[in-house]
Amino acid sequence: HQKKQYKIQMKKADDKFESTPMYTWMVENAEDYGFVLRYPKNKTDITGVIYESWHWRFVGINTAKEMNKLDMTLEEYVEYKNK
């Protein structure tokens, strides 16, 4: 009886979404619907996750607006609110 072998290939997340009209719309309007970009480019050291243009998180309208105004990730915002 032969054992099956499986090969797993790990790739960086595809960020083609960043070049779409929907991404542009999200950047301009997402906070008005309560969403924030979960893993922004300039915050990898804080989130521990590489930039993902397609990964948006619902946090509520007021929270999204405040997080964007303060330029904070979810991790930073939670820490800021818990002080």
Side-chain angles (χ1 to χ4, degrees):
H1 150 281
Q2 247 181 330
K3 288 186 180 181
K4 288 186 178 182
Q5 290 186 350
Y6 297 96
K7 191 182 256 187
I8 298 173
Q9 187 175 18
M10 302 296 281
K11 292 184 179 180
K12 182 180 171 188
D14 184 353
D15 273 320
K16 290 179 184 172
F17 181 64
E18 184 179 33
S19 61
T20 66
M22 183 53 145
Y23 174 80
T24 302
W25 187 92
M26 290 293 288
V27 169
E28 294 171 358
N29 300 286
E31 72 177 21
D32 295 331
Y33 295 89
F35 288 87
V36 294
L37 181 59
R38 184 62 184 94
Y39 302 112
K41 278 184 184 177
N42 62 337
K43 302 282 186 151
T44 300
D45 57 324
I46 295 163
T47 65
V49 178
I50 61 169
Y51 170 63
E52 295 178 345
S53 63
W54 50 267
H55 197 142
W56 296 78
R57 174 74 50 154
F58 181 79
V59 294
I61 295 169
N62 294 335
T63 300
K65 289 179 183 263
E66 186 174 21
M67 285 175 64
N68 286 335
K69 181 180 175 187
L70 296 170
D71 189 31
M72 290 183 169
T73 62
L74 186 56
E75 289 81 2
E76 293 171 305
Y77 187 75
V78 167
E79 186 177 326
Y80 167 77
K81 292 304 267 187
N82 286 331
K83 285 186 180 180

